[in-house]
Amino acid sequence: MAISLKGTRKITVNGEVFHWKIRRKISHDEAHNDQYAIPVQHISGGQVLFVYVGFTRAYGGYQNNSPESVTPSMISPLIE
């Protein structure tokens, strides 16, 4: 299964290019305080890697002392 390229962001890690995506809509698991999983895929395709950022997104915004937004600097070490 591939990530649809609409709305994805590119990130380069160790010379390799990846796509990552943040859902606009909060999923059922996120609404119940499960960790936020971001799908990441190599530009050439292959399996989708889900990286967990260590905080939750629940209705009404981010919770549990989480940052205001997810940045590429947060995603890069998780891909490595």
Side-chain angles (χ1 to χ4, degrees):
M1 181 176 190
I3 300 174
S4 71
L5 295 179
K6 185 176 181 181
T8 61
R9 301 169 189 187
K10 287 185 181 179
I11 186 170
T12 304
V13 179
N14 296 332
E16 300 286 331
V17 180
F18 296 88
H19 291 287
W20 61 287
K21 188 172 193 170
I22 295 191
R23 288 176 48 115
R24 290 182 186 216
K25 186 177 179 183
I26 295 173
S27 72
H28 174 78
D29 291 337
E30 293 168 359
H32 292 89
N33 287 334
D34 283 352
Q35 281 194 47
Y36 186 37
I38 297 174
V40 177
Q41 187 173 33
H42 193 269
I43 195 163
S44 66
Q47 284 190 311
V48 176
L49 168 71
F50 286 95
V51 295
Y52 292 91
V53 292
F55 56 86
T56 62
R57 266 189 349 169
Y59 290 114
Y62 293 95
Q63 294 184 351
N64 301 335
N65 298 324
S66 31
E68 302 246 341
S69 61
V70 179
T71 62
S73 62
M74 295 169 74
I75 302 299
S76 180
L78 298 173
I79 294 173
E80 289 178 344

